[in-house]
Amino acid sequence: MNDAQETCAVCGTNQKFIFKLKDFSYYRCPICGLISTYPIPDSVTIEKHYTQGFNEGNYRLRLEYSRQYASVYQADIKIIERKLAAYNLNIQGLKVLDIGCFTGDFLELIQKRGADVCGLELQSQAVEIASQRLPGCIFKADIFSNDFPQMQFDIITMFSLLEHVVDPVRLLTQATELLKSGGVLMIQTPAGDSPPARIMGKYWPPYIPIEHFHYFSTKAFIAILNKLGYEDISFKSQWKWLPIEYVYNMFQTYGPALHKMLTPVFRVLPRFIAGASLPFYIGGVTVMARKQ
Ligand SMILES: [Zn+2]
């Protein structure tokens, strides 16, 4: 890849080169702030990466700590319920679509609150686990296929999904098609304009070539969501209550430089402290918007 300018997927402006990481170059849009990774690998390379990923990196970790991770989703459900209350709506009976539902943790929790749930996931092992927990509600499909109930949803959620897709604008456009008028969209993703991203530069843990491609900023979200016909767009920095040891282990995959730096400290931490949960913020944002 040379220094040729790349085109912003959100606003069409030429993005500017910011840094190199491994064999990849990172570019930022001077207008909307969208950060993108180039070159985008082919589908075979991406597929291979995810097949390995389930057994090795962060997937395994998420499974091991799924009980502790539940608090993160509980917090998300509270945010959704607060938003619905502002619209005089109740979660009971609402149709919820979670795109990239992984092992179904979030859907299981929101189903208990009375929602009618549907989950899409591509990772075979995750689909298997989610299907056991939520029989008949999980589909090994992407949002562009017809292999799941074709209906209009009240709530569509995407947790840690947008950064993984090659064409996030196409994904958001399709999700909007499936959302009822007045329906709520909830997105969680690492924000390219967050303080941790700005301070850590290329060492920011979410910069992972092959796994993540695009990092939205507040401006980029406002541009695309306005264009797609959303209103009441809100942003909230995502603090997650997680065990210290979980976050430390996560850095092994997401942020190896940081992991290495923290190792001497982590080694001397007593077990009861390492297992304790603290609020962590690594630059994630929760975006909510209502379709007009
Ligand atoms: Zn742009």
Side-chain angles (χ1 to χ4, degrees), residues 8 10-13 29 31-34:
C8 172
V10 168
C11 74
T13 307
C29 175
I31 302 297
C32 79
L34 182 80

Side-chain angles (χ1 to χ4, degrees), residues 17-161:
F17 175 82
I18 47 174
F19 60 79
K20 247 185 132 67
L21 187 60
K22 295 176 184 165
D23 295 329
F24 296 84
S25 296
Y26 287 72
Y27 283 66
R28 184 193 287 117
C29 175
I31 302 297
C32 79
L34 182 80
I35 296 172
S36 307
T37 318
Y38 299 101
I40 303 271
D42 59 51
S43 56
V44 177
T45 311
I46 297 171
E47 174 72 29
K48 200 176 144 206
H49 175 82
Y50 283 108
T51 314
Q52 288 171 348
F54 196 89
N55 298 316
E56 292 159 14
N58 218 38
Y59 283 115
R60 183 184 46 77
L61 205 61
R62 269 290 311 280
L63 279 182
E64 277 175 25
Y65 285 87
S66 68
R67 192 176 52 81
Q68 290 92 330
Y69 206 88
S71 71
V72 174
Y73 289 132
Q74 296 281 16
D76 294 334
I77 290 171
K78 272 202 189 115
I79 295 173
I80 293 173
E81 289 188 315
R82 227 174 286 142
K83 196 59 139 182
L84 291 176
Y87 301 145
N88 288 318
L89 293 170
N90 185 297
I91 215 153
Q92 294 281 334
L94 293 190
K95 291 182 170 54
V96 177
L97 174 68
D98 188 22
I99 308 168
C101 69
F102 193 50
T103 51
D105 299 41
F106 165 75
L107 286 179
E108 195 176 49
L109 286 172
I110 202 163
Q111 189 189 51
K112 282 185 187 146
R113 306 288 301 155
D116 183 4
V117 304
C118 177
L120 307 185
E121 175 57 51
L122 291 174
Q123 230 303 331
S124 306
Q125 286 161 286
V127 170
E128 233 171 82
I129 297 167
S131 300
Q132 282 166 13
R133 301 165 98 178
L134 299 156
C137 303
I138 307 299
F139 303 87
K140 189 173 192 296
D142 71 34
I143 193 178
F144 302 102
S145 76
N146 293 321
D147 302 333
F148 65 95
Q150 299 296 296
M151 58 166 88
Q152 295 288 104
F153 294 90
D154 299 286
I155 300 171
I156 295 184
T157 53
M158 307 177 185
F159 300 114
S160 308
L161 173 71

Side-chain angles (χ1 to χ4, degrees), residues 163-227:
E163 65 274 26
H164 292 265
V165 299
V166 170
D167 190 344
V169 171
R170 184 167 170 252
L171 171 75
L172 289 169
T173 306
Q174 182 66 9
T176 305
E177 289 282 312
L178 294 175
L179 196 58
K180 281 182 193 169
S181 176
V184 172
L185 177 70
M186 183 188 214
I187 301 165
Q188 268 173 9
T189 189
D193 59 345
S194 62
R198 288 175 191 271
I199 293 164
M200 299 171 85
K202 67 194 281 188
Y203 299 104
W204 186 42
Y207 285 136
I208 317 162
I210 306 182
E211 187 138 348
H212 296 168
F213 307 116
H214 301 283
Y215 306 85
F216 278 69
S217 64
T218 301
K219 265 191 181 172
F221 269 124
I222 290 173
I224 189 65
L225 293 175
N226 274 332
K227 198 167 156 189

